[in-house]
Amino acid sequence: MHSLPIRSLERLSLRVLEQVNEAVAIISPEIRLAWVNDEFCRLTGYCREEIIGQPLTLLRSGKHTEAEYQAMRKAVFEQGRWHGEVWRKKKNGDLFPAWLTISAIYDDENRIEYFVDLFVDIERLRLERAELENLVNRDPLTGLPNRRLFQDRLETAISRSERHQQAFGLLFLDLDNFKQVNDHLGHRVGDKMLMEVARLLQECLRDSDTIARLGGDEFAVLIEGIDLAGNGRKALERVRQALDRVCLPMPDGLRTGASLGLSIYPRDGTDAASLYEAADANMYADKRARR
């Protein structure tokens, strides 16, 4: 089996550490910085020339006690590793929370040769997690919840309403002749129309209501806190009046608009499937009547 010379392996290891997204520092047994990667410099504000050879205490934030640092040091020396959340200080004095992992690296005689200090900005992790959640749960065009998130909100509403004996409404809508909008006016106009529908729905409904784009030209609204006497119908009419403002002139006498269907828990069903079915049936009845 072919193996690389030791020096080549060391150079390769440093090149690998240079490419990772985490901030990495190699620390000498005297707890001084021996090497850092670009991400370390970007995150802390120090350049290599001014940080190499400096004690690791340069990054201390002042938020941790000496006893905490000693416990961290003891874990690394006795167990070879420590990880947890710490506060660190940048060159300009700003403090930031970091998720830190310190690992001991041993020589052939099992003596600590150096430490690897690896950390990430927790705020960056939070932003990346939020971005991932948006990708999973939000429609990229309108920013509204997608079918996945809406289904979760609907199931939550059913459980809550069952406990508190409350009604809520499920409103379905799709845009009439939307395919012709795309065919005759182009997908860019179609996308603008979808974004305008999303905006108008947000304007005419309450913050407590969940508006979602299920896909294509299909939208759904979870209308909280309604009664069976008719305020669900009032919400439906507000939506209808709002969406009348997005009608576009079309060739061959076609017109755009929206078909709406409302179901109410528990009158029309007590589970997601039955509520979907009732709202969908009412929406297609509305579409036939509009034609």
Side-chain angles (χ1 to χ4, degrees):
M1 180 183 295
H2 177 71
S3 60
L4 291 171
I6 296 298
R7 290 188 180 277
S8 296
L9 280 172
E10 290 175 350
R11 286 195 298 270
L12 178 60
S13 298
L14 291 180
R15 287 171 60 189
V16 170
L17 291 177
E18 192 63 80
Q19 299 300 316
V20 299
N21 293 325
E22 295 83 2
V24 181
I26 295 177
I27 312 298
S28 71
E30 296 77 32
I31 319 300
R32 290 182 175 273
L33 292 138
W35 181 89
V36 297
N37 69 351
D38 286 345
E39 180 62 14
F40 179 99
C41 296
R42 188 197 67 78
L43 193 51
T44 64
Y46 289 100
C47 65
R48 281 193 176 90
E49 290 73 17
E50 60 187 340
I51 197 70
I52 298 302
Q54 296 296 323
L56 188 60
T57 54
L58 196 67
L59 301 180
R60 286 192 177 185
S61 64
K63 283 182 170 284
H64 304 287
T65 65
E66 186 59 34
E68 288 175 310
Y69 283 118
Q70 289 301 323
M72 186 188 308
R73 180 186 179 95
K74 182 181 180 195
V76 175
F77 274 90
E78 292 182 358
Q79 302 168 26
R81 185 181 178 86
W82 182 90
H83 62 85
E85 184 175 336
V86 299
W87 283 85
R88 285 195 151 171
K89 182 170 66 175
K90 298 183 181 184
K91 179 182 177 180
N92 64 6
D94 289 347
L95 306 184
F96 66 98
W99 184 261
L100 171 66
T101 300
I102 303 177
S103 303
I105 305 300
Y106 300 91
D107 62 15
D108 293 338
E109 298 179 0
N110 205 34
R111 295 176 301 193
I112 293 178
E113 189 170 14
Y114 52 84
F115 306 94
V116 175
D117 180 298
L118 183 150
F119 61 96
V120 291
D121 183 349
I122 288 177
E123 186 59 31
R124 191 190 80 182
L125 289 180
R126 291 194 184 107
L127 291 174
E128 289 176 350
R129 186 174 294 115
E131 184 178 353
L132 179 59
E133 288 176 355
N134 272 332
L135 289 173
V136 171
N137 294 316
R138 297 277 172 175
D139 170 49
L141 179 65
T142 63
L144 295 176
N146 60 14
R147 184 183 296 272
R148 174 195 177 103
L149 181 55
F150 187 78
Q151 178 68 26
D152 182 68
R153 298 270 180 90
L154 177 58
E155 296 288 354
T156 300
I158 291 172
S159 299
R160 182 172 57 248
S161 298
E162 185 177 11
R163 287 195 307 271
H164 300 292
Q165 298 298 300
Q166 295 175 336
F168 68 85
L170 172 61
L171 175 64
F172 270 9
L173 68 95
D174 74 1
L175 304 180
D176 301 329
N177 300 314
F178 184 70
K179 182 178 184 301
Q180 282 77 9
V181 172
N182 284 330
D183 290 345
H184 292 285
L185 303 178
H187 287 275
R188 181 173 298 180
V189 173
D191 286 349
K192 287 182 179 179
M193 184 178 178
L194 293 171
M195 289 188 286
E196 180 67 2
V197 167
R199 185 186 68 80
L200 290 170
L201 288 173
Q202 289 169 314
E203 280 186 0
C204 73
L205 293 164
R206 303 164 301 177
D207 292 340
S208 58
D209 299 327
T210 298
I211 307 164
R213 182 186 174 207
L214 303 183
D217 62 331
E218 297 179 344
F219 292 79
V221 183
L222 192 59
I223 306 172
E224 299 276 9
I226 69 172
D227 57 48
L228 301 181
N231 64 347
R233 287 287 171 185
K234 292 176 183 176
L236 187 148
E237 290 307 317
R238 285 202 309 272
V239 170
R240 192 184 300 281
Q241 290 171 14
L243 297 186
D244 281 345
R245 292 153 53 188
V246 297
C247 291
L248 300 174
M250 296 287 292
D252 303 323
L254 293 172
R255 287 185 59 81
T256 59
S259 298
L260 310 179
L262 177 69
S263 63
I264 296 179
Y265 173 96
R267 186 192 68 191
D268 299 315
T270 56
D271 58 57
S274 58
L275 290 169
Y276 274 131
E277 184 178 356
D280 194 53
N282 290 335
M283 182 182 70
Y284 277 98
D286 184 52
K287 189 180 292 289
R288 288 192 297 271
R290 289 167 58 81
R291 286 174 180 168

